[in-house]
Amino acid sequence: MSLLTAIPWPTLLVLTPFLGGLLALRLPDQRARLGVGLVVTGLVLVVSAALAASFLVTHDAPPIEDLSAPLPLVAARWHLGIDELAAPFLPLTALLVVLLLVAAPKRELAGPMIPAILFTEAATIGVYTSLDLACLALFWLASLVPGAYALRESIPAGGKGRAFRAYGVFLVLGALPLAAAVVWIVSARAGSPLPFDLTAPEPALDPASQLPIFFLLAIALLVRKAVVPFHSWLPVLAERGPIAITALLISTHLGAFLASRVMLPLLPEASAEVFPWIADLALASAVYGSLLGLAQTDLRRMLGFVLTSQMGLVLVGVAEANRESLHGALLQMLALGLSSTGLLLCASQLEVRAGTTDVRQLGGAAARFPFLAGASFVLGLASIGFPGSLMFVSEDLLLHGLLGSHPIEAIGLVIVTALNGVTIVRGFFLAFLGTSRRPLGLTVPDLSTRERFVAITLAAVLLATGLTPTPLLLARERVVLALTRGSSTHAVGGH
Amino acid sequence: MSPSPEGSAVLHWLVLAIPAAPLLIALLLGALMMLGRALREREIVFLASVGVGVSFLASIAATFVFARGDSHAIELHYGQLYALPGHVFGLELLVDRLSIAMVLTTGVVTALVTRFSIRYLHRDPGFLRFFVLLSIFDAGMQILVLAGSYDLLFIGWEMVGLSSFLLVAFFQLRNGPVRGGLRAFVTYRMTDVGLLVAGVLLHQATGSSQLEAAFGSGAWPHASTHLDASATTPIALALLLSTIGKSALFPASGWLPRAMEGPTPSSALFYGALSVHAGIYLLLRSAPLFESTPIGSVVLIVIGALTVVTSSLAGRVQSDIKGALAYATSSQVGLMALGVGVAALTRSGWLAILVVAYMVAHAFLRTLQLLRAPSALRDAQEIAAALPDVRRGAHASSHFVPERARELLHHLAYHRFFLDELLDRALVAPTLALARAADDLERRWVATLAGLPVNEQPREPRATDAARTSTSTAPAEPRDAREKVEPA
């Protein structure tokens, strides 16, 4: 245990990719940048996986914390920690970055992209580990800036940058309410020596002042979770954005994390009052996304809407805040992170080979690229909750969690998952099977060894966790119970 | 349903081997396929035969052990997929007279069809893929019929569905099979919702999705449920929805003839023998639920009757032998559904047993017919040569059905009662129209946001297209294609 406390692990996990990003910025050679990215993130992966494993072994382990003295005047402090809630997301983020660096098409990693990915990784880990709201808000903002910069840099000369506008309007503006909430909390908790502390939220906020803070946080949450009507950035980014940054922004589920780290424990009364409505909104968003997915002809845009829909389901689970739904949502965040990254990679790998992801021009790609087809199909099955995958378990838990309290919504959830399944398999059939509608270059090879490695790793992780999900569930049991109790003891209504 | 200890001890491993052997082989072959290992046909045949063969032998042995024991229903526990306090996803298999009949049928037919397929698919480029899917099917079907809970049954159900639509689309270079596979998948996926909902509703009503919890004491066909009609009616109707998809009942029978685009052995196995009867098995297994809900039973009888009429008539005007056999299957399955409905309404255990016997007999007969389908012309000519004096007379119906009505029926039958068109127009088209309208709004909204003219249509280049200079329509030869093969 001394090793766990002697070294400031959370700070190291944030600093390592940040310094790696700075180093990569100074390196002119693309290959060297990639090397730095892989080494740095590989280190983060190993360390965070070891730390997360300690929570799998002991279910009541105390959080691993780094603490500094509060800053004068603002009363914020550098307070990072790894607990059961954050632990699995850290190796997940690092794993996704490693896989993206290994398998993303080279043009997707050109220019400032690798430093941007590393900065985003550092900020994302910062959000996961923050136990101080001011820290969390700063990391949240920081997680968006490198993406915006990379996106602007990658827009072709003369291009109108639709993706960039959507990104800027939604994500950056959507982060401002979070900053406003931080300011509001200072006034609401006037007199408290540590107004931003998330570990000991005392004195409790009175219910009247919870609501405005809740609404500000909710806007940040809804934008980040791409809930209708704040969703438009996601399909546009999935269709046109750089694949690695897009995958990282979508797969890390910071919105749902904000709800479970800040909103449920800090604002229990407001949560109990408003989250049921947010659950309905999220389900409506899931239905909307699944419906729009059906109408798409571009695989990447199609994925964008399916992901909008699936992120809505995650939020439904968090907002319902009962034991099964929370377990389901937390597992779904992991499963979706892995499968959506895999599918976005597959789509971009098809794009560099066929020159398009429009299914009207594709068809018959399986004959030319059998591995790409196999990888897309297996990851597609994992993403629609086929038995054996982690998503099957998470959707089953979500469904059980929802049915107890809201049977109609539960049927909505089942229909959404069915429609998303139709969209994904239809996309696969149209792109990979049948006759080819556009000649494919004769010299274009199938997946390379490293790309296969990534696809197989993702499929193996999804299968292994899907067949043995119990350790993951048990490791989360304490935090889930705390969140459930937080909302149920203070329940003032619902509908 | 108390298990007899000595029977359980032996059965435990035998029954586990029935789905586990083909499942392990499917995983092994699938992993080899994913890793790109080139296997010789002989190796594939050996592995697939081991999986199917072990399952077949274990099913025979399990039947003997079960028959010698004095217990009518034995529940076997194999741990759990996951467990939370108050919510356990258990892995229980149930051996009773119904499941053992299906296990044996599945084991025998799958073994025979596997043997047949080895020659049939010789030198086919998809040889390995076929046997992977066949093994997944074998494992899935055995899980389906042995499942002791609706949760586990759903897993088998999905595995059968997966292998089914992929085998329909087996000849993937032609568009017909791909369209047929997609149609089968969409039908499955949308109707599988029913099984999922039924499982969860049952869980809500009884606190468990185990069959034992739902049906209490009493082995099939004498099991009964303590739930009242208000609880069982929605569950029964949800189960019926799943059956309609899987067993090609009215109005979703249209995917079945299209599914015949797949290789003949898989058509025989899926749509002659087993997969198509999975729905009937589900109905028989859930018979106590239907017994307690007259509404559910009556709807089942009506659906069965409509399937019999429409499929039987449509089958008479099919121009190809596999299409005719598909409709013949569908009409027989409709008759079985009707039988289950009547058995539930009259609470007749004997009728339910009769339906099982009918199902098993039909499975074997239809398998033979479908396997012989490629030789249909030769068979017909041989029959004609052997019976030279038989003339094609007018159909018996001409005596009592008026000419106009016969014409109308023929028209309807020829167009398969317009069922697919009706479903397309009533469900698919409005959904897609709504989706497209919403997509149009979505694009306008994002265009407004980006400060572009709303009606601007040309696609703007993607962010990462900066490196591209040409928009030529020449065959796609990606710029960085060669980079892809460089070592990382």
Side-chain angles (χ1 to χ4, degrees):
Chain A
M1 290 305 283
S2 63
L3 196 63
L4 284 180
T5 47
I7 298 172
W9 292 113
T11 306
L12 277 181
L13 289 182
V14 175
L15 272 184
T16 313
F18 178 75
L19 294 176
L22 284 181
L23 179 62
L25 264 185
R26 301 191 137 265
L27 293 171
D29 179 38
Q30 179 65 14
R31 192 172 280 251
R33 285 182 170 190
L34 189 60
V36 167
L38 282 173
V39 168
V40 160
T41 313
L43 273 175
V44 173
L45 176 60
V46 172
V47 171
S48 62
L51 294 174
S54 74
F55 286 96
L56 286 181
V57 178
T58 19
H59 297 147
D60 53 353
I64 304 160
E65 290 183 77
D66 293 347
L67 204 57
S68 76
L71 289 175
L73 292 177
V74 286
R77 55 182 184 167
W78 180 263
H79 187 188
L80 302 188
I82 302 172
D83 58 1
E84 299 105 321
L85 183 62
F89 292 116
L90 307 177
L92 173 78
T93 309
L95 177 68
L96 294 182
V97 172
V98 168
L99 298 182
L100 285 165
L101 289 177
V102 170
K106 285 191 175 174
R107 72 172 190 218
E108 298 275 0
L109 297 175
M113 212 55 85
I114 290 176
I117 292 170
L118 293 178
F119 290 139
T120 310
E121 179 191 350
T124 305
I125 291 177
V127 174
Y128 284 138
T129 51
S130 288
L131 294 174
D132 179 285
L133 187 58
C135 261
L136 190 148
L138 277 178
F139 279 126
W140 183 286
L141 278 171
S143 72
L144 297 170
V145 177
Y149 177 73
L151 198 56
R152 203 181 61 179
E153 288 294 300
S154 63
I155 288 173
K160 295 189 180 86
R162 193 183 284 197
F164 176 64
R165 286 283 187 92
Y167 183 94
V169 169
F170 281 101
L171 286 181
V172 178
L173 289 183
L176 295 182
L178 183 59
V182 170
V183 176
W184 201 302
I185 274 192
V186 179
S187 65
R189 280 174 130 184
S192 163
L194 294 167
F196 303 121
D197 193 51
L198 292 171
T199 49
E202 297 293 335
L205 290 162
D206 65 276
S209 59
Q210 283 185 18
L211 268 183
I213 300 171
F214 186 93
F215 279 118
L216 286 171
L217 292 174
I219 293 176
L221 157 76
L222 293 176
V223 171
R224 196 66 191 248
K225 279 243 79 73
V227 171
V228 176
F230 306 102
H231 65 290
S232 296
W233 63 271
L234 200 158
V236 175
L237 206 59
E239 184 186 1
R240 296 155 197 268
I243 213 79
I245 290 282
T246 305
L248 209 50
L249 281 172
I250 294 174
S251 304
T252 45
H253 296 279
L254 293 188
F257 186 79
L258 179 75
S260 34
R261 171 68 89 206
V262 181
M263 296 164 83
L264 282 170
L266 200 63
L267 311 164
E269 283 85 3
S271 295
E273 199 169 337
V274 189
F275 261 140
W277 298 101
I278 291 190
D280 285 350
L281 184 65
L283 187 64
S285 173
V287 172
Y288 181 83
S290 66
L291 198 61
L292 262 87
L294 283 178
Q296 303 308 319
T297 52
D298 185 285
L299 286 178
R300 283 180 62 172
R301 189 172 164 84
M302 188 185 285
L303 275 180
F305 280 108
V306 170
L307 290 174
T308 307
S309 169
Q310 290 178 321
M311 285 167 86
L313 294 186
V314 171
L315 188 53
V316 172
V318 174
E320 277 295 319
N322 64 45
R323 190 187 197 162
E324 284 165 332
S325 78
L326 276 169
H327 268 303
L330 289 172
L331 272 197
Q332 180 109 336
M333 284 153 82
L334 295 180
L336 202 48
L338 292 162
S339 63
S340 57
T341 300
L343 285 180
L344 282 167
L345 273 174
C346 285
S348 70
Q349 284 155 355
L350 179 64
E351 190 177 13
V352 292
R353 287 171 172 80
T356 180
T357 46
D358 191 333
V359 290
R360 289 169 300 187
Q361 298 177 42
L362 288 163
R368 285 297 320 282
F369 313 123
F371 285 104
L372 180 56
S376 307
F377 188 69
V378 171
L379 290 170
L381 281 187
S383 80
I384 61 175
F386 191 76
S389 69
L390 187 59
M391 193 77 92
F392 174 73
V393 180
S394 65
E395 284 181 355
D396 188 54
L397 282 166
L398 272 180
L399 184 60
H400 279 274
L402 208 54
L403 200 88
S405 46
H406 301 102
I408 303 292
E409 280 90 337
I411 290 172
L413 181 142
V414 177
I415 291 172
V416 166
T417 53
L419 285 178
N420 285 339
V422 168
T423 302
I424 293 281
V425 172
R426 175 178 157 268
F428 172 81
F429 267 53
L430 293 177
F432 285 98
L433 307 184
T435 49
S436 179
R437 283 177 276 284
R438 171 176 168 144
L440 296 163
L442 288 174
T443 56
V444 187
D446 198 355
L447 292 190
S448 66
T449 310
R450 61 192 167 87
E451 289 166 325
R452 282 181 205 183
F453 165 75
V454 167
I456 289 171
T457 305
L458 282 168
V461 173
L462 283 164
L463 182 71
T465 47
L467 292 178
T468 53
T470 310
L472 277 174
L473 290 170
L474 290 180
R476 245 82 172 270
E477 178 69 2
R478 193 171 64 159
V479 68
V480 164
L481 276 183
L483 292 176
T484 315
R485 204 179 302 126
S487 58
S488 61
T489 35
H490 296 277
V492 290
H495 65 279
Chain B
M1 285 195 194
S2 60
S4 96
E6 72 283 4
S8 299
V10 184
L11 268 186
H12 187 88
W13 292 107
L14 279 179
V15 171
L16 179 63
I18 295 172
L23 184 63
L24 289 176
I25 293 296
L27 283 174
L28 176 65
L29 286 175
L32 290 172
M33 198 164 90
M34 280 286 283
L35 292 169
R37 283 289 300 274
L39 290 175
R40 282 180 302 180
E41 273 191 15
R42 195 178 293 177
E43 295 162 337
I44 299 168
V45 166
F46 173 75
L47 287 172
S49 305
V50 166
V52 171
V54 168
S55 177
F56 166 60
L57 294 175
S59 64
I60 291 179
T63 308
F64 274 108
V65 175
F66 176 73
R68 284 167 60 94
D70 52 2
S71 185
H72 291 311
I74 301 171
E75 192 165 74
L76 302 163
H77 298 267
Y78 298 92
Q80 55 219 12
L81 180 61
Y82 63 88
L84 285 172
H87 182 164
V88 178
F89 192 120
L91 303 175
E92 293 103 14
L93 300 182
L94 175 66
V95 183
D96 65 0
R97 281 173 283 188
L98 176 60
S99 62
I100 209 75
M102 291 302 291
V103 161
L104 202 56
T105 310
T106 306
V108 174
V109 177
T110 311
L112 289 175
V113 170
T114 304
R115 185 71 198 82
F116 182 91
S117 311
I118 295 168
R119 288 251 172 97
Y120 191 89
L121 283 144
H122 177 52
R123 290 187 177 232
D124 190 285
F127 195 83
L128 174 57
R129 187 158 44 96
F130 180 86
F131 283 97
V132 171
L133 293 173
L134 199 69
S135 303
I136 293 177
F137 169 76
D138 193 15
M141 191 70 202
Q142 298 286 22
I143 291 174
L144 195 163
V145 296
L146 280 167
S149 68
Y150 280 112
D151 285 341
L152 196 56
L153 196 150
F154 181 76
I155 292 184
W157 191 269
E158 289 290 285
M159 289 169 71
V160 169
L162 172 80
S163 46
S164 170
F165 77 80
L166 286 179
L167 276 170
V168 174
F170 182 78
F171 299 115
Q172 59 189 33
L173 294 178
R174 288 192 290 121
N175 286 329
V178 174
R179 277 198 299 269
L182 197 54
R183 178 133 203 141
F185 172 74
V186 173
T187 312
Y188 283 167
R189 184 85 186 171
M190 297 318 291
T191 52
D192 287 355
V193 167
L195 184 52
L196 212 51
V197 169
V200 179
L201 286 176
L202 192 69
H203 201 281
Q204 292 306 123
T206 65
S208 161
S209 61
Q210 278 179 279
L211 301 172
E212 196 174 9
F215 307 140
S217 56
W220 191 90
H222 305 299
S224 62
T225 178
H226 60 277
L227 299 170
D228 59 17
S230 64
T232 52
T233 305
I235 303 178
L237 292 178
L239 289 172
L240 181 55
L241 175 67
S242 294
T243 303
I244 286 174
K246 195 66 121 205
S247 288
L249 298 182
F250 179 90
S253 43
W255 67 265
L256 192 60
R258 295 165 205 257
M260 294 297 165
E261 295 270 16
T264 291
S266 69
S267 301
L269 187 59
F270 285 71
Y271 315 117
L274 298 173
S275 170
V276 79
H277 290 127
I280 300 300
Y281 169 80
L282 179 67
L283 294 178
L284 284 166
R285 178 53 80 201
S286 316
L289 293 173
F290 282 89
E291 281 172 14
S292 76
T293 162
I295 300 175
S297 306
V298 170
V299 174
L300 175 57
I301 290 171
V302 170
I303 296 274
L306 283 170
T307 310
V308 171
V309 173
T310 52
S311 294
S312 149
L313 287 172
R316 285 165 207 279
V317 289
Q318 292 301 304
S319 53
D320 67 308
I321 180 72
K322 281 178 84 176
L325 284 173
Y327 272 114
T329 304
S330 174
S331 66
Q332 298 293 318
V333 171
L335 203 53
M336 288 171 213
L338 197 153
V340 178
V342 173
L345 205 59
T346 57
R347 294 175 185 256
S348 162
W350 282 110
L351 188 52
I353 292 175
L354 202 62
V355 172
V356 177
Y358 179 17
M359 179 162 71
V360 171
H362 180 246
F364 281 102
L365 172 70
R366 206 60 85 187
T367 305
L368 176 67
Q369 283 184 325
L370 276 161
L371 289 180
R372 290 293 303 170
S375 319
L377 186 60
R378 188 193 155 120
D379 285 356
Q381 282 172 338
E382 279 185 1
I383 292 168
L387 302 167
D389 293 335
V390 174
R391 280 173 294 170
R392 290 170 63 84
H395 194 269
S397 63
S398 60
H399 299 301
F400 55 88
V401 180
E403 182 68 22
R404 291 288 297 274
R406 288 176 60 213
E407 277 175 12
L408 178 67
L409 275 178
H410 178 264
H411 180 69
L412 287 175
Y414 186 73
H415 291 284
R416 302 168 176 190
F417 290 83
F418 299 100
L419 288 178
D420 287 355
E421 286 78 2
L422 279 174
L423 283 181
D424 282 350
R425 285 197 190 172
L427 291 175
V428 180
T431 310
L432 282 181
L434 185 65
R436 290 199 180 109
D439 187 44
D440 189 46
L441 272 180
E442 179 80 31
R443 285 178 194 275
R444 281 164 186 265
W445 155 238
V446 175
T448 312
L449 206 70
L452 298 170
V454 168
N455 55 0
E456 180 172 312
Q457 286 304 317
R459 291 168 58 82
E460 109 189 59
R462 287 202 170 127
T464 44
D465 284 355
R468 293 189 181 181
T469 49
S470 154
T471 52
S472 94
T473 52
E477 188 76 30
R479 298 173 61 84
D480 48 0
R482 199 159 298 138
E483 293 174 14
K484 309 291 304 178
V485 280
E486 285 176 8

